[in-house]
Amino acid sequence: MPINMTPRLVVITGPMFCGKSEELLRRLRLHGYANDSVLALKPKLDSRQGSIRSRRLGIGGSVTVEEFPAFEVGGAREFSALLRKHHPDVLAIDEAQFFDSWLFAKVNELLLQQNLGITIYVVGLDLDAWGQPFGQMGNFMARADEVLKFTAICMLCHEPAGLSCKIGGGSRNLVEVGDGDIYQARCRRCWSPPASA
């Protein structure tokens, strides 16, 4: 059990391809060195993998560089059952923008348990492809003890990029799981919403 007995929430956010998962995996490695027990979760609708992965874009698609096993969760009951079973020192939640409001409520409950001593990492896109706050990420950022907001490099002009842009092949659906085949990181000048991308 960690010495710190106050729950702590760290949010890691930014656009596609900015290193969010890479930073989460780096921090999980550090917790591993300290022998902290880690429970990693991801939404069931993200069917790309059964783990949290750091990827590098290359010719022909993305390549996995590092990964950490994660449970796929679809609802509040599964979430609570996994917490009861594993009693983690560290809870890592990837792609949090895809979860419904129940996740924010559950995390908030954990933060109010003063003797729990858990560190919670919530990782996800802060904005959707239309440039609007994505899911509960704004609420998590407001509640967080620490917020790490990363930028990527614009894939058109190479300036700092804080937005995710849908490109050819993507639909106009809000939730569309994809990679470099559907999304690009863009700066404000180069970004456009899906209707005109």
Side-chain angles (χ1 to χ4, degrees), residues 170-187:
S171 74
R172 294 177 67 184
N173 296 332
L174 174 62
V175 175
E176 183 173 15
V177 176
D179 210 337
D181 56 332
I182 299 176
Y183 296 98
Q184 287 186 343
R186 300 265 183 99
C187 67

Side-chain angles (χ1 to χ4, degrees), residues 13 22 51 81 136 139 167:
T13 192
E22 187 175 353
S51 60
Q136 296 295 309
N139 288 332
I167 58 174

Side-chain angles (χ1 to χ4, degrees), residues 91-142:
L91 175 62
I93 304 166
D94 197 26
E95 303 291 355
Q97 75 276 357
F98 292 142
F99 285 103
D100 292 329
S101 58
W102 65 262
L103 180 65
F104 179 71
K106 288 292 186 183
V107 167
N108 202 40
E109 285 175 17
L110 293 173
L111 293 173
L112 294 174
Q113 294 181 31
Q114 290 303 310
N115 293 321
L116 188 58
I118 191 170
T119 299
I120 305 168
Y121 292 100
V122 170
V123 181
L125 298 169
D126 54 345
L127 302 173
D128 62 24
W130 285 263
Q132 299 299 311
F134 205 154
Q136 296 295 309
M137 289 303 294
N139 288 332
F140 283 119
M141 291 167 71

Side-chain angles (χ1 to χ4, degrees), residues 23-195:
E23 175 63 15
L24 174 62
L25 292 171
R26 184 188 74 81
R27 288 184 175 227
L28 294 183
R29 271 197 316 276
L30 296 177
H31 284 288
Y33 299 152
N35 292 318
D36 290 336
S37 62
V38 176
L39 174 62
L41 307 175
K42 62 185 288 283
K44 277 191 177 170
L45 68 85
D46 182 0
S47 58
R48 292 175 294 179
Q49 65 263 343
S51 60
I52 297 171
R53 293 186 182 185
S54 172
R55 299 180 309 278
R56 296 278 190 275
L57 287 179
I59 298 171
S62 64
V63 177
T64 298
V65 176
E66 184 178 2
E67 61 186 308
F68 191 94
F71 290 93
E72 295 179 351
V73 176
R77 284 190 181 145
E78 288 175 272
F79 177 88
S80 296
L82 284 167
L83 281 175
R84 281 193 303 273
K85 180 178 178 181
H86 294 277
H87 302 286
D89 300 318
V90 177
L91 175 62
I93 304 166
D94 197 26
E95 303 291 355
Q97 75 276 357
F98 292 142
F99 285 103
D100 292 329
S101 58
W102 65 262
L103 180 65
F104 179 71
K106 288 292 186 183
V107 167
N108 202 40
E109 285 175 17
L110 293 173
L111 293 173
L112 294 174
Q113 294 181 31
Q114 290 303 310
N115 293 321
L116 188 58
I118 191 170
T119 299
I120 305 168
Y121 292 100
V122 170
V123 181
L125 298 169
D126 54 345
L127 302 173
D128 62 24
W130 285 263
Q132 299 299 311
F134 205 154
Q136 296 295 309
M137 289 303 294
N139 288 332
F140 283 119
M141 291 167 71
R143 181 70 66 195
D145 298 290
E146 180 183 359
V147 176
L148 299 168
K149 185 169 165 131
F150 294 137
T151 56
I153 301 297
C154 181
M155 294 176 175
L156 295 184
C157 74
H158 309 286
E159 292 293 319
L163 296 161
S164 302
C165 185
K166 281 193 179 187
I167 58 174
S171 74
R172 294 177 67 184
N173 296 332
L174 174 62
V175 175
E176 183 173 15
V177 176
D179 210 337
D181 56 332
I182 299 176
Y183 296 98
Q184 287 186 343
R186 300 265 183 99
C187 67
R188 284 191 184 100
R189 185 181 59 179
C190 296
W191 173 84
S192 57

